[in-house]
């Protein structure tokens, strides 16, 4: 029921819709000094489309060298949309599990929770006052109060049922059981708050300020529906109907691994040429942030037998395996070899920047999905956002798989390779005059961790756009922590 | 650096600013059939202010009976703002602790993390290609390529430094160490990708596609600053500079207790007059959602000696103690008595609805803050939002203590007691024509858990407003899960 306020936005604002350009099997040609059919420039003016198309940019000298899409074998090239669709079609829906209500926090309910109880379980006072008969107090006014004899007092939790007749009242605390015969609670503030006799200055209509048995939830009512996110209010309701445990969509278990001969663990001082494994840390954090139960399994061994053993054991205990690493497109790669023995693993050039080298397969006896993403840490976190986070949210049962996007004014010119969807880290801010302004944290060509850490969004530039002028509108995906 | 996108909104949109009416010690009079000075009606028209003020509502017959603010002793009455200010001024700032980087996720960095390393640690190829000398390839064009002899190949992780002279190139993978003598990497896609000799069609300028030592982070640079929220990108950077642990503002430890003679634990079938303790569950979930480490300590015992022992032990192990319960305003209350022996605990009527009965004090040897909130579960979650969540965020070191608010069009008339700030659960939706529309989930007078569970926001009606017409603007606080 969080509607458009769950931080993920409705379909209209979700990322998916902002980049629907289907490159399919025939991306536009983009090589050499010839014309660039299909290239689009985004300029500040809404009449830009009618302006003459500027001369072709020399792609060879562009700031982001990528293979021209025609130079890659067709069966290896793939759009972001197609690769994502394949992943989303293949991720399993983990079986619902029963958890203690507090452990269910943040997950989606996987059962129709029917209440076996009425809420409230008995007629009770909605506030502090006097239980009375509506007929007796109907005519009361501040000028001509009605006097009742106070024959007792009931506090919350007391079970002994009193009973009243005409002209009588029982002093009641909020939540106290209503005595038999009473059909109204006169708020204390409408009386002189007497203890032996009480002067009532106004009478509520019959049933006034009485919480009736079953008014909140009747036995058999569905208290929490399938698909409802379980937050504090749902936990309150589940506890009230006496549920200690509830069936939920579990957090998917995700093993996070790094591959690369250059990697050493964080505690080791890297030798010349070596670098610290940052991906298994950053991606485990990202997976946890997306709602998964992430296991950081560290750097994959290079010995083929041990490599195979590690991969197989991860497949046995995970709902999804995520591997960040450098996958050689030519020459021998021991990780690719090991994965190939476990099932059909497809490595591809996805038309995106950074990080076109992506892989996906379903491996092992249980056909566990395995997602391979680039080893360069900035590209790895981009690939996580684009492919892995939606997969985790799908496994969690969320309806909104994609982050909300907004249109923002580019604070400076952006360039983007033709035929590739570009993701740039940036900072987006509200503009004083309304709307948003975004600046890239670098020039978009360099993978720098310190810059990425200053970003609060990804700027998404479509495949057919090569240039966004300063002042032009661009799609921005705010990276809300926890969102 | 998440700026206006951390889900909490900037000062301009934060809740604090939307209800600055300072009721101070003299709330407007609101009793009886006399005129209602200061009452404000919100109507759809922007010219409403110039319309004649309608006749006074009869407060005695209003749907929400509350004591007229003048009927409560002045030293017991308090505005929302004053009670909140007192709590925020008194909550401690827990000492920073050192955590493993993955456990630091979601917390604020409490140190200036200076890097002892350069990132990158060595000059390296930014992409797959050929390490060469800029001078050699400067003149290359697709029409007149430059030929170089390929004298070796370096993969990522290899430490052996090769060296090249004029006319030579080394094939390099992205991340591979640059051979001595090379000052440029020619992208593979700008060449014929030869293995013995390579034809270069375009030469980058000197330094092109080389990631220089220290370009990302130089030794002595501050990688992560004090106050930065630690997310996946910061974890990536911390790992890269070799930090296994980092000093952070810890999650405050919060004990959550329920008080009330009517309460039984969730596993017990309630006898007539008894109700299940839902607050310790719902509030522990809410506290955890707000970022605290919450301990659900359950129902307080009624025996005075055991009650005292439980309270003292909670004070020893907590940064804040939260007690939800019915605190008698007249007559003996064992919890109030026990708290009074531990320090200065102030119980008050806060001018808010639901749940004016609120308490705060600093108790025990360490003067641990203790917040008492109403026992009625809807009022308890409202009080949590208003008083406890900002206190938790302050202890976490967050700059934005309050939820973002938006102005929304009321889908139906809302009434509110004069002199009290009213919080109504509602559902807010984006309007197709822009802006937001909000509907209360009930009529605002009844505390119903099932209705609360359908809400996605709180509607906030200021103290001086008694009525918001359908179509009028009202302040709305979206309750984002995890926000």
């Amino acid at each position: 029921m969080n509607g458009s306020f769950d931080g993920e936005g409705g379909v209209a604002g979700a990322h998916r819709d902002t980049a629907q350009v289907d490159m399919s099997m025939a991306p536009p040609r983009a090589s050499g000094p010839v014309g660039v059919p299909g290239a689009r420039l985004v300029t500040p003016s809404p009449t830009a489309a009618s302006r003459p198309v500027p001369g072709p940019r020399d792609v060879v000298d562009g700031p982001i060298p990528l293979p021209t899409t025609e130079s890659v074998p067709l069966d290896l090239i793939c759009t972001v949309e197609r690769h994502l669709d394949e992943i989303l079609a293949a991720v399993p829906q983990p079986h619902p599990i029963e958890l203690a209500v507090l452990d269910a926090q943040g997950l989606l309910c996987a059962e129709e929770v029917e209440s076996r109880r009425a809420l409230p379980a008995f007629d009770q006072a909605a506030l502090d006052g006097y239980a009375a008969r509506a007929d007796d107090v109907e005519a009361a006014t501040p000028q001509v109060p009605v006097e009742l004899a106070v024959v007792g007092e009931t506090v919350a939790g007391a079970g002994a049922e009193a009973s009243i007749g005409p002209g009588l009242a029982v002093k009641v605390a909020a939540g106290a059981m209503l005595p038999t015969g009473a059909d109204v609670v006169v708020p204390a503030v409408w009386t002189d708050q007497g203890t032996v006799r009480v002067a009532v200055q106004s009478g509520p209509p019959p049933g006034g300020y009485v919480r009736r048995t079953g008014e909140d939830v009747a036995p058999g009512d569905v208290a929490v529906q399938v698909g409802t996110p379980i937050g504090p209010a749902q936990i309150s309701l589940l506890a009230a109907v006496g549920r200690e445990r509830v069936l939920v969509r579990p957090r998917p278990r995700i093993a996070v691994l790094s591959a690369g001969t250059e990697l050493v663990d964080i505690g080791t001082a890297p030798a010349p040429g070596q670098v610290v494994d940052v991906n298994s840390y950053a991606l485990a954090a990202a997976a946890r942030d997306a709602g998964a139960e992430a296991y950081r399994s560290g750097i994959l061994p290079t010995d083929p037998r041990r490599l195979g053993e590690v991969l197989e054991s991860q497949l046995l205990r995970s709902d999804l395996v995520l591997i960040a690493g450098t996958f050689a497109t030519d020459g021998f790669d021991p990780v690719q070899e090991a994965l190939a023995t476990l099932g059909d693993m497809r490595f591809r050039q996805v038309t995106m920047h950074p990080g076109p080298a992506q892989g996906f397969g379903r491996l092992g006896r249980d056909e566990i999905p395995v997602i391979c993403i680039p080893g360069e840490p900035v590209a790895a976190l981009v690939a996580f956002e684009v492919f892995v986070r939606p997969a985790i949210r799908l496994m969690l049962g969320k309806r909104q798989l994609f982050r909300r996007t907004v249109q923002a004014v580019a604070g400076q010119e952006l360039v983007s390779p033709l035929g590739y969807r570009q993701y740039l880290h940036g900072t987006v801010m509200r503009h004083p005059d309304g709307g948003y302004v975004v600046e890239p944290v670098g020039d978009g060509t360099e993978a720098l961790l310190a810059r990425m850490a200053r970003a609060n969004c990804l700027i998404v530039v479509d495949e057919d756009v090569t240039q966004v002028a300063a002042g032009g509108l661009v799609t921005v995906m705010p990276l809300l922590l926890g969102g």
Side-chain angles (χ1 to χ4, degrees), chain A:
Chain A
M1 280 292 162
N2 279 321
S4 51
F5 259 104
D6 70 349
E8 293 294 321
V11 169
H15 173 56
R16 203 61 187 276
D17 275 6
T18 63
Q20 287 288 23
V21 184
D22 187 356
M23 302 300 294
S24 151
M25 299 300 288
R29 295 181 48 168
S31 65
V34 297
V36 185
R40 195 152 61 85
L41 284 84
V42 177
T43 67
S45 160
T47 61
S50 60
R51 289 182 183 171
V53 174
R57 288 175 56 243
D58 186 348
V59 172
V60 162
D61 279 337
I64 305 160
L66 284 165
T68 56
T69 44
E70 65 178 4
S71 70
V72 180
L74 276 187
D75 60 334
L76 282 184
I77 202 158
C78 174
T79 61
V80 170
E81 295 300 327
R82 226 183 89 207
H83 192 61
L84 177 60
D85 281 342
E86 220 169 276
I87 291 171
L88 294 183
V91 294
Q93 307 274 311
H95 290 294
I97 58 169
E98 204 176 68
L99 291 180
V101 287
L102 269 183
D103 297 331
Q105 190 174 5
L107 300 173
L108 296 196
C109 190
E111 61 171 316
E112 300 281 312
V113 180
E114 266 190 30
S115 179
R116 278 160 298 181
R117 292 184 189 160
L119 283 186
F122 47 88
D123 290 356
Q124 60 184 246
L127 38 62
D128 293 348
Y130 295 84
R133 296 156 51 100
D135 285 354
D136 286 355
V137 294
E138 194 181 9
T141 66
Q143 290 73 33
V144 189
V146 170
E147 282 229 338
L148 301 173
V150 181
V151 294
E153 179 168 356
T154 310
V155 295
E161 286 187 53
S163 162
I164 59 162
L168 305 182
V170 167
K171 195 172 179 217
V172 286
M177 208 166 182
L178 220 62
T180 314
D183 58 354
V184 87
V185 174
V186 181
V189 294
W190 294 4
T191 72
D192 66 355
Q193 305 193 33
T195 51
V196 177
R197 299 192 66 80
V198 61
V200 172
Q201 292 157 6
S202 181
Y209 306 111
V210 173
R211 291 188 204 134
R212 292 230 164 268
T213 307
E215 176 181 59
D216 193 347
V217 177
D221 276 3
V222 173
V224 180
Q225 290 180 309
V226 169
T228 306
I230 295 183
Q234 286 70 32
I235 287 174
S236 184
L237 186 52
L238 287 167
V241 302
R243 289 292 297 259
E244 289 181 88
R245 301 175 74 77
V246 63
L247 203 65
V248 290
R249 302 285 301 260
R251 299 192 183 282
R253 297 161 304 163
I254 299 196
V256 182
L257 297 147
S258 299
T261 48
E262 75 278 22
L263 299 181
V264 295
D265 199 56
I266 193 171
T268 309
Q274 294 184 325
V275 293
V276 169
D277 160 35
V278 310
N279 282 326
S280 71
Y281 291 89
L283 295 168
R288 197 189 283 171
D289 190 59
E293 199 166 300
Y295 302 96
R296 195 189 70 80
S297 304
I299 305 164
L300 276 168
T302 46
D303 169 71
R305 198 175 53 83
R306 285 213 41 233
L307 176 56
E309 283 169 7
V310 168
L311 287 174
E312 283 188 68
S313 76
Q314 297 305 327
L315 290 173
L316 285 177
R317 67 172 211 171
S318 308
D319 298 308
L320 187 146
V321 173
L322 178 60
I323 306 174
T326 313
F327 302 100
T329 43
D330 54 349
F332 176 79
D333 181 299
V335 177
Q336 286 189 38
E337 293 291 315
L339 292 169
T341 65
L342 294 164
D344 180 24
M345 189 76 204
R346 295 184 203 169
F347 284 91
R348 288 167 161 169
Q349 291 290 311
V350 174
T351 49
M352 66 187 285
H353 181 260
Q358 307 283 344
F360 179 67
R362 299 186 64 172
L363 306 188
R365 196 192 53 196
D366 299 325
E367 301 201 309
I368 300 300
V370 176
I371 303 180
C372 290
I373 62 177
E376 192 284 303
V378 173
L381 279 177
V382 167
F384 181 91
E385 277 299 324
V386 176
F387 302 116
V388 187
R389 191 173 179 280
I392 290 172
R393 291 183 65 85
L394 183 62
M395 287 192 273
L396 282 164
K398 304 254 187 194
R399 279 176 305 175
Q400 304 293 351
L401 304 186
F402 305 106
R403 289 199 195 261
R404 189 171 68 93
T405 57
V406 296
Q407 294 293 306
V409 171
Q412 63 182 73
E413 189 194 21
L414 306 172
V415 293
S416 183
L418 181 64
Y420 286 77
R421 187 180 298 176
Q422 190 174 24
Y423 297 90
L424 296 166
H425 281 94
T427 51
V428 61
M429 299 295 281
R430 284 206 172 80
H431 193 277
D433 301 340
Y436 300 97
V437 182
V438 68
E439 298 268 358
V441 288
D443 63 1
T445 62
E446 285 166 281
L448 296 178
L449 295 179
R451 285 185 185 169
M452 175 172 72
R454 286 200 304 272
N456 67 2
C457 72
L458 280 176
I459 305 168
V460 187
V461 185
D462 282 358
E463 288 84 343
D464 64 338
V465 175
T466 55
Q467 191 184 358
V468 178
L473 276 182
V474 71
T475 299
V476 162
M477 194 194 293
L479 301 174
L480 291 158
L481 280 179

